[in-house]
Amino acid sequence: MKIGIVGSINVDFVTVAKRNPSVGETIVGETFRVVMGGKGANVAIAIGRLGGSVTMFGAVGDDDFGKKAIVNFKENNVGVDTIVALKNESTGSASITVAEGNNTIIVIGGANDKVDEKFIKSFEKQLLACDIIGTQLEIDPSAALWLSRFARKNGKKFVFNRSPDKKYKPEIIDNADILIVNEIEINELGGEGALLKHPNKLILTEGANGVRFYDGNKMVHVPAPKVKVVDTVGAGDTFMGALIVKMSEGATLFDAIKFAAVAASLKCTKLGAQTAMPTRAEVEAKI
């Protein structure tokens, strides 16, 4: 099956320190790296590295970072014909601090802010060629709403990760085949009871505590492998990408989640988002 990922494309500026500074405080960090990121791009890269047939839909700026992003997609087996380099726009960016096993992130939208309903509608023909469409909210929510309607109308599987925190139309959730949320985001849906209302659809990721969903008869828990955590940036995106890969191969939801949980845990053992994402062989060796 062919997969289309619509979302953000960023360059990540990653600082690693032993701890986060207090307000007004200056501390000495440990390392600094510039790597490609963006929630949409991360998912697409994860899929490409795991052997899925994926095309990225999005925008970059007319700058060096945008050019590097395109090269990076190609090197990771992601189609780039539906990525637009916008004049007089900067490529989206994220300033990330990794400290004490967690991360803090400040995102600047840049060209990603132009990925709205009008933008994505221009790629209707290319989206029709996709069997599964995935997106998140690091682009304009109007794009996610249109995609959800488009997918339902045309019989496409629609996977929605309700992150980051933005206002959106609840219809997106109604139209989704798979909805991925974390421990914080599920509260917006009414708490864990929402799992019972969305059998085989709502997937709750709980970090080291694993993943839960309701299969229509019982609550199912898929444990997360125990690993030494180095960096959690991109773990959720890796999970989504891996889940979609197994969906495209016709796996059961349980098996798809199990595969995705392993992939996400392996990502956490290395620094960086895309550069730390596992290959298919690495994931299968741990299942």
Side-chain angles (χ1 to χ4, degrees):
M1 287 187 173
K2 293 185 177 181
I3 303 163
I5 297 298
V6 183
S8 56
I9 302 169
N10 288 343
V11 55
D12 291 349
F13 303 96
V14 185
T15 299
V16 178
K18 290 184 178 179
R19 64 178 178 85
N20 285 301
S22 300
V23 176
E25 181 185 18
T26 299
I27 65 172
V28 176
E30 296 182 336
T31 61
F32 175 76
R33 299 175 65 194
V34 179
V35 295
M36 294 297 113
K39 293 188 72 64
N42 289 349
V43 174
I45 294 291
I47 293 170
R49 290 172 73 91
L50 292 169
S53 176
V54 60
T55 298
M56 182 72 201
F57 294 76
V60 295
D62 58 346
D63 51 25
D64 288 340
F65 290 127
K67 294 174 183 177
K68 290 179 180 179
I70 299 295
V71 171
N72 183 53
F73 280 124
K74 291 179 179 179
E75 290 176 344
N76 286 282
N77 304 310
V78 178
V80 298
D81 290 344
T82 49
I83 298 174
V84 180
L86 300 176
K87 292 184 178 181
N88 302 317
E89 291 287 347
S90 63
T91 299
S93 65
S95 297
I96 302 170
T97 300
V98 180
E100 302 172 295
N102 291 298
N103 61 78
T104 56
I105 308 173
I106 299 176
V107 175
I108 304 297
N112 296 314
D113 291 340
K114 303 298 181 181
V115 183
D116 56 12
E117 178 181 350
K118 180 180 179 181
F119 177 95
I120 201 59
K121 282 177 70 174
S122 68
F123 292 108
E124 187 169 350
K125 180 179 179 181
Q126 292 89 336
L127 286 165
L128 280 170
C130 299
D131 302 291
I132 303 174
I133 298 170
T135 195
Q136 304 128 329
L137 289 176
E138 219 169 52
I139 54 175
D140 193 296
S142 68
L145 178 60
W146 184 87
L147 284 166
S148 74
R149 292 170 173 170
F150 173 87
R152 169 156 288 196
K153 177 182 177 181
N154 292 284
K156 312 296 182 181
K157 292 288 186 181
F158 181 63
V159 181
F160 180 54
N161 181 1
R162 192 261 170 273
S163 178
D165 186 26
K166 280 185 179 179
K167 291 184 178 180
Y168 66 96
K169 297 286 188 181
E171 184 187 341
I172 300 175
I173 290 177
D174 295 337
N175 291 336
D177 294 281
I178 297 292
L179 170 63
I180 303 171
V181 298
N182 62 26
E183 309 100 306
I184 297 173
E185 293 157 356
I186 196 168
N187 292 328
E188 174 193 295
L189 302 177
E192 296 182 14
L195 290 166
L196 301 176
K197 298 177 181 178
H198 301 285
N200 296 306
K201 170 176 176 172
L202 180 57
I203 298 173
L204 173 60
T205 60
E206 300 179 294
N209 292 323
V211 183
R212 284 187 290 154
F213 72 100
Y214 179 63
D215 70 359
N217 294 306
K218 64 183 182 301
M219 200 68 72
V220 180
H221 175 248
V222 181
K226 302 299 182 183
V227 297
K228 182 179 179 180
V229 176
V230 175
D231 178 13
T232 60
V233 174
D237 303 326
T238 302
F239 178 90
M240 179 175 176
L243 182 77
I244 290 174
V245 167
K246 293 302 285 185
M247 285 177 59
S248 73
E249 296 170 357
T252 65
L253 184 58
F254 178 86
D255 287 342
I257 291 174
K258 182 179 179 180
F259 180 87
V262 171
S265 68
L266 287 174
K267 192 253 80 78
C268 292
T269 63
K270 299 178 182 178
L271 182 64
Q274 297 174 12
T275 54
M277 289 175 174
T279 63
R280 182 65 175 253
E282 289 173 330
V283 176
E284 292 183 342
K286 295 293 183 179
I287 293 180

